[in-house]
Amino acid sequence: MSVETRTDFPDPIEFFDSYIARSKPVIFKGVAKSFPQYNNLRNDTYLGETYGKWNITYEPNTKELRNKKIKRMSFKKFTQTYSKNKFYMVADIISPNPLENEVSVPKPLLCDDLAGRMETCIMWFSAGGTRSLLHSDSQDNFNCLYDGMKELYIAHPKHEKKYYYRDGYFSIVDMDKVDYQKYPNLLRVPWYYAKMEPGDCLFIPFHWVHHIKSHGPRNFAVNLFWDHLISMPGREKCRAEIKSLGNTGPLTNYKIQDKYERARSQWVSEVFGREKDNMTKDRMCHAIIHSTSQYDISQEQCEKFFNFADQDKDGFVSFDEMYRVDTKYIKPLLHILVGNEEDGEVFTTYEEVDAKAEEAADVEYKKEEL
């Protein structure tokens, strides 16, 4: 089956109602070509000269592995050597990484309930020939391709028992040589196929399984990941801002979501994803207490939370209210998801290369070759 294709961007509310809420993938053809920095991200010389001091990590192979080897070099050196050596780079490029200045947030995400709940932004950079594991993500994500071509095989999470997951949401199946006698359930999955070309953006919904093949001679993509919501608590604020939206916004306007907000989104999706909106106290507590054993919540704790969450005191708790209630009232329910950390902030790292150390490493590498 083919993924729906469009040539225009919807506004954030239409995008949420038509694709996120319906768990429906969609390709937006050619839209990234209008992004302000589109050509910058297609230019290795520009990237190497402008951001060359970045001390990056890369993989010396093109097939995604769970026990992968990680090496380091300057970003400038990577831009000069990746094609010849078939190196593969996957990196977080949100603040404090200066490369975030080159990333545009597309119109469908320009809303507090979407880009405002950013989890990360990741760059994928290779000479093509890369293959991902069959896996799914616990966020919604938007993948924009700047160079090369990608083929994706994706399927709905309702078939997840057929994906042979072992390590979380990673499948044990080698997608390069599938043994259908050993893994026959894969033949019973209604797969969708998507082909991405330069300038295309693809929305992959929450928990949709996917396998990606990337083709060169240069392949460069940027993924935006954000916390999945089952309702839009800021819908009216978003609606009021729609008329002033451009086709893109700068990534620098957004930061990674607070840990407790991220945990809240995950918790609401896991526990209430199959519930109907506007829950009574009994129904909400039944969902929390019986949904999974990892949440060790008493009836008393649940009822206390219900009273805080029922902000309009109508005897029901809506999904919007679940997202709006102050996180101080929900922290006891989220401790398993966030651990014992007191600080709710999340930080990414960025460091610059030690030029002398890299030069010395190059000398040793050349000696080993001799």
Side-chain angles (χ1 to χ4, degrees):
M1 295 184 289
S2 297
V3 173
E4 179 184 341
T5 298
R6 293 180 58 154
T7 57
D8 65 317
F9 273 150
D11 64 56
I13 292 178
E14 180 190 348
F15 178 64
F16 185 91
D17 292 342
S18 299
Y19 301 104
I20 296 178
R22 295 174 62 190
S23 189
K24 183 179 181 181
V26 57
I27 293 180
F28 301 99
K29 297 292 292 182
V31 289
K33 292 180 180 179
S34 66
F35 290 3
Q37 302 86 359
Y38 178 73
N39 288 320
N40 288 352
L41 295 179
R42 291 165 55 87
N43 188 326
D44 287 342
T45 301
Y46 169 80
L47 291 174
E49 293 297 329
T50 309
Y51 304 102
K53 293 182 180 180
W54 177 20
N55 188 20
I56 64 100
T57 61
Y58 69 96
E59 301 172 33
N61 50 269
T62 56
K63 185 174 180 178
E64 184 179 14
L65 302 170
R66 295 299 287 156
N67 57 341
K68 55 193 174 187
K69 295 180 180 179
I70 298 296
K71 295 189 175 183
R72 303 190 76 98
M73 66 169 62
S74 69
F75 188 45
K76 183 174 184 177
K77 184 176 178 181
F78 180 87
T79 62
Q80 297 168 340
T81 60
Y82 74 94
S83 182
K84 177 182 177 181
N85 295 287
K86 305 299 181 183
F87 293 155
Y88 181 29
M89 179 181 171
V90 181
D92 183 298
I93 54 171
I94 205 163
S95 181
N97 192 318
L99 195 59
E100 71 167 350
N101 293 305
E102 304 290 346
V103 179
S104 296
V105 178
K107 180 179 179 179
L109 308 187
L110 296 178
C111 180
D112 286 348
D113 288 339
L114 301 170
R117 292 177 178 268
M118 188 80 65
E119 182 147 331
T120 192
C121 176
I122 294 178
M123 176 180 75
W124 311 80
F125 191 1
S126 73
T130 64
R131 304 287 187 270
S132 77
L133 295 170
L134 182 65
H135 72 285
S136 65
D137 299 304
S138 56
Q139 309 88 24
D140 288 307
N141 84 79
F142 211 90
N143 184 309
C144 291
L145 184 64
Y146 291 80
D147 239 336
M149 190 263 281
K150 288 185 184 290
E151 294 180 279
L152 297 95
Y153 300 87
I154 62 180
H156 198 283
K158 67 183 178 182
H159 304 291
E160 69 173 33
K161 291 183 179 179
K162 300 173 184 175
Y163 301 147
Y164 301 96
Y165 288 145
R166 182 171 62 187
D167 184 8
Y169 285 99
F170 285 88
S171 174
I172 62 175
V173 179
D174 184 344
M175 296 300 288
D176 283 341
K177 45 184 178 181
V178 180
D179 183 344
Y180 289 110
Q181 289 189 332
K182 189 175 182 180
Y183 306 113
N185 285 337
L186 290 178
L187 293 171
R188 303 183 181 100
V189 174
W191 294 95
Y192 286 80
Y193 173 78
K195 180 180 178 181
M196 296 180 68
E197 297 172 309
D200 294 350
C201 293
L202 170 67
F203 168 59
I204 304 177
F206 172 73
H207 279 176
W208 274 63
V209 71
H210 48 284
H211 168 62
I212 305 172
K213 297 180 179 181
S214 297
H215 305 277
R218 180 181 190 269
N219 199 282
F220 192 104
V222 173
N223 262 83
L224 295 168
F225 292 85
W226 68 96
D227 297 330
H228 178 71
L229 300 183
I230 57 178
S231 74
M232 266 186 108
R235 179 179 290 265
E236 293 311 311
K237 180 176 183 292
C238 188
R239 192 188 307 279
E241 297 169 347
I242 284 176
K243 290 184 179 180
S244 62
L245 290 181
N247 207 43
T248 65
L251 180 63
T252 50
N253 285 355
Y254 303 94
K255 66 176 184 177
I256 293 178
Q257 185 62 273
D258 172 89
K259 283 184 180 179
Y260 285 103
E261 282 298 336
R262 293 167 62 192
R264 182 216 302 262
S265 299
Q266 180 182 342
W267 180 72
V268 171
S269 295
E270 286 183 1
V271 177
F272 305 105
R274 296 183 180 181
E275 294 288 331
K276 293 182 179 180
D277 207 355
N278 296 312
M279 295 175 286
T280 63
K281 182 184 294 184
D282 287 344
R283 202 170 109 233
M284 190 195 81
C285 289
H286 182 273
I288 292 175
I289 295 171
H290 298 283
S291 60
T292 173
S293 60
Q294 71 171 314
Y295 302 112
D296 185 18
I297 306 299
S298 68
Q299 183 71 25
E300 182 180 358
Q301 286 177 301
C302 184
E303 291 180 2
K304 185 176 181 180
F305 170 67
F306 181 92
N307 293 333
F308 287 128
D310 183 15
Q311 297 167 340
D312 58 8
K313 303 305 176 186
D314 65 349
F316 298 90
V317 167
S318 67
F319 295 145
D320 284 357
E321 286 176 317
M322 296 284 283
Y323 292 122
R324 289 180 186 141
V325 65
D326 194 309
T327 53
K328 69 182 180 181
Y329 299 123
I330 203 171
K331 282 183 180 180
L333 307 178
L334 304 178
H335 69 280
I336 293 173
L337 298 179
V338 299
N340 297 317
E341 298 178 52
E342 293 296 326
D343 189 354
E345 292 297 313
V346 176
F347 298 96
T348 55
T349 59
Y350 169 81
E351 62 181 50
E352 295 189 344
V353 72
D354 182 330
K356 291 184 178 179
E358 183 171 61
E359 184 177 347
D362 285 344
V363 171
E364 289 300 315
Y365 177 72
K366 289 177 181 179
K367 286 181 179 178
E368 290 176 5
E369 284 190 323
L370 296 173

